[in-house]
Structures are given as structure tokens and as C-alpha cells.
Amino acid sequence: MSQHAQNSRVRKLVQNRHVRRYAAPAVLTAALVGVAVIPSATAASTVPANSVGSAQIINGGVWGGDIHDNTIAESKLGWDLRQKIAKNGTKGDKGDPGAPGPKGDTGAKGDPGDPATDVLGKEGVSDTLGPKVIANIGGSFKTQKTKVGEITLAPGKWLLNASAFFARTEAGVAGTRPQLALRVGASDTAFGDDFGTILGAEISPAKDRELTGSTVKVVKVSEATKVEVFGFGYNDDGSSAGGGQITVTADVVAVRIG
């Protein structure tokens, strides 16, 4: 090959090399420009689903406008915020009443109360005794008394009230004072314990005359106790006049007070 031909070949190789050297930057520049002018909507549409996570979101990078309504569950909110919502939230409508629940079991029977704690009329005894003719006036109460009736008191403290109504069925002498006596343990040899006595006023000697009296006494018994009611009387002159001439009716009321 001639020298001229060799020189021509060298020049062509050099030219081709320069063309390839400068072509690459031009092509790269055009490619970069093409990427830069792609619309953002096109670029966003090519992002794969579920490819954005906590690592791709910087603090302050998401605003309220970026979040759709009803997309965050209340359980994901902080405790303080949930409390604030609960406090300031709108009050809901009143719910319908629930169905009645099943009937509960019957409770155990309670222990019986202490009778001694019944007070002020919650327990009491009331009776009318007679009328009864007072057989004897004068002498010894132990042997001459006439029994009109009796009542029984349960253990406890009692307010005992008795009233007597004396009626003269025959005319007699002046100075007769009939008696009503409430006793416990009285006998022919003992006066017994006094649970109330009515005595003092004189009854008129005329027939069909009347006399009344009453007694009130607080008594206490530790066991069931029989209280007997007796009719009797005395004369101012110590005689036995008036026996069989006077009747007595007794109203006895006992009220537990302790």
C-alpha cells in the first residue's frame, strides 16, 4: 500500500474515533433531558403498589390533606387523643332499655330477732278480766283475796298498766275501800311481788255506785312469768263489811319496752 493510501486510512480512523467520543455525551444528555421532562403524574403512576413505607416518609412529609377521611382507626391514635375525643365527643342517642334479667335465687331465711329488742308497742299483752264479785273485804290479803284472772309476760322489760272498775251491787256501809292487786308468786302464805296496786278511794255505800282507779308500773322478768290479778278491800273500821257487795272488772295492758 502506498504512503498516501495509508495516510488516508489513518485519518478516517481518527475521524471515526472523534465521532464516537462526542456522540456518547450527546446521546446521554438527550436521555437525561428526556427523563427530566417526564410529567410527575406519569412518574407517580409507575410507582409499584405498596412500595412506600416508613423508610420513604420523612417527618413532616405527610399533611392532613394527604390523608382521606375514615382511613385511620381510632385504635391507632394515642391514648391522650382518644381520651380527648371521648370527653368532647357528641352524646349519642339514648339506647333502648334492655330486656329484664332472670329472677334471682331466693335468699336464705334470716335468723329470728331477739324478742327483747321489740319496743314501743311492737309486742304486748292486753286483756279484760271480770267482772268478778269480791268475796271478802277485810282480814288478811294472803288468805282473803279473790282471783280475777291472769296474764303471762315473756322475758323482757314491760310497761304494765291496769285499770279497775268497781261497782256496788248492794247498799252497804261507809268507809269501804275496794282494791285491785297485780302480783307474782302470791299465795296463802306470801303477798308475792307487787306488779301494780289500786287502793285508796272510798266507794259510796249506796247501791249502783261506781269507782275507778288505775296503776302504771315498769317491770322486768327474766323468764315467762304469770301475773295474777286479785280483788280485795279494806274498811276504815277494820271490819269485814262489803264482802260480796262489790264487783271488779280489770283491763290490763302490758307493752314491751326492752
Side-chain angles (χ1 to χ4, degrees):
M1 181 180 296
S2 66
Q3 185 65 39
H4 177 76
Q6 291 180 353
N7 291 338
S8 296
R9 186 176 181 181
V10 171
R11 283 195 298 270
K12 288 181 180 179
L13 290 173
V14 172
Q15 288 174 354
N16 289 338
R17 186 180 297 169
H18 281 292
V19 169
R20 286 194 297 270
R21 181 187 301 170
Y22 291 107
V27 172
L28 180 59
T29 299
L32 290 175
V33 171
V35 171
V37 298
I38 294 175
S40 60
T42 303
S45 64
T46 62
V47 176
N50 300 322
S51 63
V52 177
S54 298
Q56 284 73 40
I57 301 176
I58 63 173
N59 292 338
V62 177
W63 295 79
D66 300 322
I67 302 174
H68 290 288
D69 292 342
N70 302 318
T71 57
I72 300 179
E74 183 177 338
S75 60
K76 299 298 184 180
L77 303 178
W79 185 87
D80 290 341
L81 183 56
R82 293 200 305 270
Q83 290 296 107
K84 186 175 181 181
I85 292 173
K87 181 178 180 180
N88 299 326
T90 302
K91 184 177 180 180
D93 296 334
K94 183 178 180 180
D96 295 332
K103 183 178 180 180
D105 297 334
T106 302
K109 184 177 180 180
D111 296 330
D114 181 1
T117 63
D118 295 332
V119 296
L120 301 180
K122 292 183 179 179
E123 183 178 348
V125 178
S126 177
D127 202 358
T128 296
L129 309 174
K132 184 82 172 182
V133 175
I134 300 175
N136 304 301
I137 300 292
S140 171
F141 173 82
K142 297 176 185 179
T143 58
Q144 298 290 85
K145 60 187 181 294
T146 299
K147 185 172 180 178
V148 180
E150 65 183 48
I151 63 170
T152 300
L153 300 180
K157 188 176 183 180
W158 296 85
L159 178 67
L160 190 58
N161 172 253
S163 63
F165 177 81
F166 301 102
R168 181 175 277 280
T169 60
E170 298 178 22
V173 300
T176 301
R177 303 177 187 276
Q179 176 185 16
L180 184 75
L182 283 69
R183 301 294 171 91
V184 173
S187 68
D188 289 346
T189 59
F191 287 103
D193 296 328
D194 180 19
F195 272 45
T197 299
I198 301 170
L199 176 66
E202 177 186 350
I203 190 170
S204 170
K207 182 181 178 181
D208 295 332
R209 295 297 187 264
E210 300 168 349
L211 179 69
T212 61
S214 63
T215 177
V216 177
K217 194 175 183 70
V218 174
V219 298
K220 187 174 183 180
V221 295
S222 58
E223 60 184 4
T225 301
K226 179 175 66 176
V227 180
E228 295 178 290
V229 181
F230 300 100
F232 188 57
Y234 296 95
N235 288 301
D236 289 343
D237 61 5
S239 69
S240 60
Q245 299 175 348
I246 302 169
T247 63
V248 60
T249 302
D251 287 306
V252 182
V253 177
V255 179
R256 186 188 294 276
I257 59 173

